[in-house]
Amino acid sequence: MMDLANDESPLSSTSSNHLRLQSRPSRLSLKQRQRDGSIAGSTEKSSSFLLMITGQIECAHTSSSSLVNTQQLYCRYTFSHGPDWIVSHGVTQGITQIAGSRRALKGSDEEGKGSVFVWNFPIEISFQSTNTYGWPRLCLSVYGIDLLGRDVLRGYASVLLPINPGRHTKSVKTYRHVSGNALQQFISWLTATHPEYHDTKITARGEGRALTRVVGESNLTLKINLVTTRKDFQSFGYTSK
């Protein structure tokens, strides 16, 4: 009987040790999976690439022969992008302060170009996506205040956000709508109700623009400074020169 008791005790201790050892592989496998990146939480950072844009809408400058030299200007902006892009941080639309005209400083880039309207309005936004289709664009619309205090459209513009990292300075030409005939043009000038887009984002797309008539505003140019930062861009197979 003593021999049987002694034989049973090693079995019971062995079985308990065996049970303890069975719990160790699960802990080791958890750590191994975390190192291998098989846990869902460890792969969330690489599920999409990140595009960060910071900068400012610096100014607008006009030619010396432009009629808007004696007026005030402000700018509205918004972003247009494809269906696979989402905004992860930042403001998608905004409006600058009203700026009065002044002469360009001597020695500056705008010297000899007439009047300058300085805004220096900051922009900061971040996008996430899995492909480059529908790369974001910045849509701009400039409005002026006439002598009667009415808001009058002065021009539209859109610019593709820079693809390569670094600092970029963009000079964008503007354009505006024109009425269908001379009588409508005269009425629009008299009432200060010029044709406008219902959605400013249409300036970044081609759909629906074939039926509109526009004319370039060669005397109104916008200057924009942007800084582009990318993350996890090459992990999705995209490279840029």
Side-chain angles (χ1 to χ4, degrees):
M1 295 298 292
M2 294 298 294
D3 295 337
L4 293 175
N6 292 335
D7 293 339
E8 289 177 358
S9 58
L11 292 174
S12 61
S13 61
T14 304
S15 61
S16 61
N17 292 335
H18 180 65
L19 293 175
R20 294 173 185 173
L21 290 174
Q22 283 181 345
S23 61
R24 293 181 183 178
S26 61
R27 297 178 184 177
L28 294 176
S29 61
L30 178 62
K31 295 180 181 179
Q32 184 66 29
R33 283 183 294 167
Q34 288 178 346
R35 286 195 298 265
D36 295 341
S38 59
I39 301 296
S42 62
T43 59
E44 289 180 356
K45 295 182 180 179
S46 59
S47 61
S48 61
F49 61 82
L50 183 66
L51 175 67
M52 294 173 285
I53 299 294
T54 58
Q56 60 183 357
I57 304 176
E58 185 174 336
C59 64
H61 51 81
T62 64
S63 62
S64 57
S65 60
S66 176
L67 295 177
V68 299
N69 286 333
T70 59
Q71 299 179 357
Q72 297 174 327
L73 296 180
Y74 65 91
C75 180
R76 295 177 179 176
Y77 75 92
T78 185
F79 291 91
S80 176
H81 53 79
D84 296 328
W85 293 76
I86 61 173
V87 178
S88 58
H89 173 74
V91 181
T92 58
Q93 58 184 355
I95 183 172
T96 67
Q97 73 277 12
I98 299 175
S101 62
R102 65 171 179 81
R103 289 293 177 181
L105 297 177
K106 188 176 182 180
S108 63
D109 297 336
E110 291 82 15
E111 183 181 4
K113 296 183 180 180
S115 298
V116 180
F117 300 82
V118 180
W119 295 307
N120 289 331
F121 192 82
I123 296 176
E124 182 177 357
I125 193 170
S126 299
F127 297 93
Q128 284 183 329
S129 181
T130 56
N131 62 76
T132 57
Y133 176 76
W135 191 271
R137 297 182 69 97
L138 176 62
C139 305
L140 304 164
S141 54
V142 182
Y143 289 83
I145 301 177
D146 61 7
L147 299 178
L148 300 179
R150 299 172 297 185
D151 294 347
V152 181
L153 176 68
R154 293 303 179 188
Y156 289 110
S158 66
V159 57
L160 187 71
L161 295 183
I163 299 177
N164 295 324
R167 182 177 179 181
H168 307 269
T169 301
K170 300 287 186 178
S171 295
V172 188
K173 296 291 185 179
T174 61
Y175 61 90
R176 60 179 177 84
H177 286 285
V178 293
S179 301
N181 51 57
L183 179 59
Q184 291 180 350
Q185 293 179 10
F186 175 76
I187 295 175
S188 298
W189 173 82
L190 188 63
T191 59
T193 55
H194 298 287
E196 300 182 26
Y197 284 129
H198 178 71
D199 185 8
T200 311
K201 294 182 180 180
I202 198 174
T203 59
R205 302 189 295 263
E207 298 85 355
R209 295 182 57 184
L211 301 178
T212 60
R213 297 180 58 188
V214 297
V215 60
E217 277 292 344
S218 59
N219 52 13
L220 179 60
T221 307
L222 302 177
K223 185 176 180 181
I224 307 168
N225 289 322
L226 298 174
V227 178
T228 302
T229 305
R230 299 183 320 203
K231 184 179 179 182
D232 297 330
F233 196 73
Q234 295 182 352
S235 61
F236 284 81
Y238 297 109
T239 58
S240 60
K241 298 180 179 179

